[in-house]
Amino acid sequence: MEMDIQNLFGQLWQDYLKQCPSADKVHQLLSSGEAIINDHVAFRTFRAPGLGIDNLAQHFLALGYEQKGEYQFDAKKLYARHYEHPDSTQPKVFISELKLEECSEQLQQIVASLVAQMPQGLTQDVAHAYGGAPWKATQAQYHTLLEESEYAAWLAAFGFRANHFTVSVNHLSEFGTLESVNQALKAAGFELNSAGGEIKGSPEVLLEQSSTLADKVAVSFADGEMIIPACFYEFALRYPMADGELYSGFVAASADKIFESTNVR
């Protein structure tokens, strides 16, 4: 399926709203009637045959995106890359993958059983990026994965879709700081991810980030339904580099804590 950038991000957004219904309320709270600019959209995947970063990234590369930074998250056994479009008004894309070879045999076997359910050639279709889970995990598999890797359990439940969108605080006319955004969110009843502090990063590293805790939604497993954390909304404020251009990369120590927005609670 061929698709332009606007259409692809439109499809991703519509799917995301089903997993993060509170995103509409965030827009109403922060937009002042203006369009919200997305800083970046993030995806999760497994490093497995027929999957991985390259399989997701190909659809963005075909639309003119270029690979930029690389990131390692040793404790979570993750590797990530980010991609940028020459048109800086387009969202950056952040794709991470779980390094299965570093995980337990039990986790690898569960993931292999899920991947075996995928239709042949699925990842060649751009709709794969927002298609959800192309398998059915059991509740027992979800809980087993959760004990070792929240990331793996989330992927087993939700599959391939935007894990989160990110509001560019730089483009908000009514809010000049991330702290003021956070205060408005909390006043409106949103819970924020406090892992590593509500604001991750600093002006010194040229990026500040915060995020809501993931909305909880009902997920249909092979043996019944469970309500679990789904997707969340992130907020990013970027600072200028020495050349005056806004920093466009990511800070691994901050991103590491953002991943915890989907933790089960």
Side-chain angles (χ1 to χ4, degrees):
M1 181 193 301
E2 289 192 13
M3 194 173 286
D4 63 24
I5 292 179
Q6 280 66 34
N7 198 353
L8 174 53
F9 282 103
Q11 295 283 358
L12 287 164
W13 176 256
Q14 290 306 315
D15 174 73
Y16 166 75
L17 284 179
K18 297 172 190 171
Q19 314 304 325
C20 187
S22 67
D24 269 339
K25 187 180 175 186
V26 171
H27 270 215
Q28 293 164 14
L29 183 67
L30 302 181
S31 70
S32 306
E34 301 169 357
I36 292 284
I37 302 297
N38 282 304
D39 179 86
H40 68 272
V41 181
F43 300 86
R44 297 180 178 187
T45 187
F46 292 119
R47 179 183 288 178
L51 288 177
I53 289 177
D54 290 338
N55 280 277
L56 263 174
Q58 65 178 326
H59 303 299
F60 296 97
L61 294 172
L63 293 171
Y65 276 79
E66 300 166 356
Q67 182 185 324
K68 297 294 182 179
E70 295 182 89
Y71 312 90
Q72 297 282 354
F73 304 92
D74 294 334
K76 292 181 172 64
K77 299 171 182 170
L78 304 176
Y79 167 73
R81 294 188 203 135
H82 96 268
Y83 299 80
E84 296 178 26
H85 197 275
D87 175 358
S88 62
T89 65
Q90 300 299 341
K92 287 169 276 293
V93 172
F94 186 94
I95 309 176
S96 56
E97 65 183 11
L98 180 64
K99 297 184 279 187
L100 294 177
E101 69 276 10
E102 296 182 10
C103 298
S104 70
E105 191 67 33
Q106 184 181 37
L107 184 147
Q108 291 183 46
Q109 288 175 356
I110 291 174
V111 172
S113 73
L114 298 177
V115 173
Q117 299 175 39
M118 287 176 52
Q120 197 74 25
L122 176 76
T123 60
Q124 298 310 304
D125 187 339
V126 66
H128 152 64
Y130 52 85
W135 51 60
K136 279 286 187 184
T138 65
Q139 295 182 56
Q141 286 175 322
Y142 173 81
H143 286 298
T144 299
L145 293 173
L146 191 59
E147 288 179 17
E148 181 174 347
S149 168
E150 182 280 328
Y151 185 104
W154 188 94
L155 259 175
F158 294 100
F160 306 106
R161 50 176 31 113
N163 170 261
H164 63 272
F165 275 70
T166 308
V167 171
S168 171
V169 177
N170 297 79
H171 291 89
L172 295 177
S173 60
E174 298 292 316
F175 298 88
T177 66
L178 189 53
E179 187 176 19
S180 63
V181 169
N182 287 352
Q183 286 173 346
L185 290 164
K186 289 188 289 186
F190 286 95
E191 286 188 84
L192 299 185
N193 170 354
S194 60
E198 286 182 356
I199 294 179
K200 298 96 170 73
S202 66
E204 288 70 36
V205 296
L206 305 178
L207 176 63
E208 292 180 340
Q209 297 164 269
S210 67
S211 60
T212 62
L213 290 177
D215 285 5
K216 291 182 178 179
V217 302
V219 174
S220 176
F221 288 86
D223 53 352
E225 202 172 75
M226 241 189 335
I227 295 175
I228 57 175
C231 298
F232 61 94
Y233 220 149
E234 187 186 330
F235 312 89
L237 179 65
R238 296 182 178 276
Y239 289 87
M241 300 180 290
D243 63 3
E245 294 291 315
L246 286 181
Y247 176 68
S248 64
F250 293 83
V251 178
S254 301
D256 183 80
K257 299 303 182 186
I258 292 289
F259 280 118
E260 297 178 21
S261 301
T262 53
N263 280 5
V264 172
R265 57 196 188 278

